[in-house]
Amino acid sequence: MEISVKGLSKKYKGNKLGLNKFDLELKNGILGLIGPNGAGKSTLMRILATISRPSEGQVSLNGIDIVKFRDTVRKVLGYLPQDFGVYPNLTAIEFLEYVAAIKGFTGKSIRIRIEALLEELNLFSVRNRPIGTYSGGMKQRIGIAQVLIGDPKLLILDEPTVGLDPEERVRFRNMLTELSGDRIVILSSHIVSDIETIANDIAIVYQGRVLEHQAPDALLKTVEKQVYETTLTIDEFNDFRTKYAVSNSMRKNGGWLVRFVLNSGDTLPDIQVQPSKGTLEDAYLRVISSAKNGMKNEN
């Protein structure tokens, strides 16, 4: 499977850009999309899922234009939007059979598939309860189940771990890892650890553009010897965070233990600091902070 995105733009009312000359090339595996709210992640996913049309540019799946041949793409697609709705009066079995019928799957084999999914997602014991009685996390797992019906080769998942507890998130990540060998999985999440654990590639998105598209190890190398920790008083901390990209802070002994990342052009502060091993969250912060600083300098 291959996806090619070239010069993709999406304009909304008032000439607001959701995507701006967006380029991306993907093959089998898991792509983690990370970026702040409004960066364009959901806009990209809706276009790839054939829900929305681009204003400019081209998107192809295995060489097929997804705008011109939407039905062809939908046959191999599983899509979970950020705001997933269910029919509260249907049971899990009834709802998933309904979704399967819409996708063109019926018969005994699809019933077996549905029961297997419910078992894997820890919902089998409540399969005959109305979905309206489910917790938020259980409804999210139903959404994940409906995506996987029909064994799709392109999975697009927008914030799929919202509402899942830590054990459920681990189970879901393991499932995606097993599925990703012969298909493309595009995963958007604000939980960077979910991305870091399973993604083969990571795209950092900001203001409708891709700032970085690399493997996790390559991104981590960008923050080697760039991450430090220091202890500050409250007054020092208030001034410090206006000058440096702070990735974490916590109160300690009446002051603050501060973790920060050096951006390009930054120099170490004239205080005692301790080097620290960089994380994907540090790398993400460095990329976004550098982009924001670049925009400030342009203005």
Side-chain angles (χ1 to χ4, degrees), residues 4-295:
S4 176
V5 179
K6 295 182 178 179
L8 199 66
S9 293
K10 178 66 177 181
K11 294 180 181 178
Y12 295 105
K13 290 182 179 179
N15 287 326
K16 181 182 177 182
L17 282 172
L19 295 175
N20 185 11
K21 304 296 182 182
F22 195 102
D23 295 318
L24 195 64
E25 301 290 330
L26 300 178
K27 294 187 177 181
N28 287 350
I30 301 175
L31 171 75
L33 277 179
I34 53 178
N37 289 333
K41 305 185 299 297
S42 293
T43 299
L44 173 67
M45 290 179 146
R46 286 194 294 269
I47 291 174
L48 294 178
T50 72
I51 303 300
S52 178
R53 291 174 177 264
S55 303
E56 297 176 9
Q58 295 180 327
V59 188
S60 63
L61 175 65
N62 290 343
I64 299 172
D65 188 314
I66 72 166
V67 176
K68 293 180 180 179
F69 302 98
R70 289 181 296 171
D71 290 342
T72 301
V73 175
R74 289 173 179 175
K75 289 179 181 178
V76 298
L77 172 68
Y79 174 50
L80 179 65
Q82 187 171 356
D83 298 316
F84 170 69
V86 296
Y87 293 90
N89 295 324
L90 297 182
T91 67
I93 291 287
E94 291 169 340
F95 174 69
L96 293 177
E97 286 183 336
Y98 169 71
V99 172
I102 291 176
K103 293 183 177 183
F105 301 107
T106 57
K108 185 177 180 180
S109 61
I110 199 64
R111 179 63 179 258
I112 293 173
R113 171 64 173 161
I114 287 171
E115 291 185 351
L117 285 171
L118 290 173
E119 185 72 49
E120 196 164 6
L121 290 163
N122 199 27
L123 290 169
F124 191 78
S125 64
V126 295
R127 64 192 182 281
N128 292 315
R129 271 176 47 187
I131 297 175
T133 66
Y134 284 12
S135 67
M138 293 165 71
K139 290 176 182 176
Q140 190 70 2
R141 280 180 276 156
I142 283 291
I144 293 168
Q146 64 88 20
V147 167
L148 298 174
I149 290 175
D151 196 29
K153 297 301 180 183
L154 172 60
L155 297 176
I156 300 175
L157 310 168
D158 196 355
E159 298 288 347
T161 58
V162 170
L164 302 186
D165 64 34
E167 184 179 354
E168 292 167 344
R169 280 167 45 207
V170 170
R171 185 184 294 113
F172 174 63
R173 293 199 304 254
N174 291 339
M175 179 188 298
L176 281 191
T177 300
E178 293 172 5
L179 288 170
S180 63
D182 61 346
R183 70 197 78 205
I184 292 175
V185 180
I186 301 174
L187 169 67
S188 168
S189 178
H190 281 90
I191 304 172
V192 178
S193 60
D194 284 343
I195 299 291
E196 187 172 18
T197 304
I198 62 173
N200 308 107
D201 285 306
I202 294 172
I204 300 177
V205 182
Y206 182 65
Q207 294 203 338
R209 293 180 179 269
V210 177
L211 299 182
E212 293 285 349
H213 179 204
Q214 299 188 57
D217 288 347
L219 269 176
L220 286 174
K221 287 182 179 179
T222 66
V223 287
E224 284 184 356
K225 300 180 181 179
Q226 303 296 320
V227 182
Y228 295 86
E229 292 182 351
T230 188
T231 302
L232 304 171
T233 66
I234 294 176
D235 290 338
E236 288 171 337
F237 177 52
N238 290 333
D239 180 61
F240 187 88
R241 62 184 175 182
T242 66
K243 300 175 181 178
Y244 291 93
V246 175
S247 61
N248 193 30
S249 60
M250 60 182 294
R251 288 185 178 273
K252 184 177 181 181
N253 299 328
W256 290 90
L257 178 62
V258 178
R259 180 183 181 88
F260 66 100
V261 186
L262 294 180
N263 288 322
S264 179
D266 283 349
T267 57
L268 281 172
D270 189 22
I271 55 176
Q272 186 174 358
V273 298
Q274 179 71 32
S276 183
K277 185 177 180 180
T279 66
L280 181 60
E281 200 164 52
D282 295 319
Y284 165 75
L285 178 64
R286 188 170 193 259
V287 170
I288 296 296
S289 295
S290 295
K292 289 180 178 178
N293 289 338
M295 292 177 60

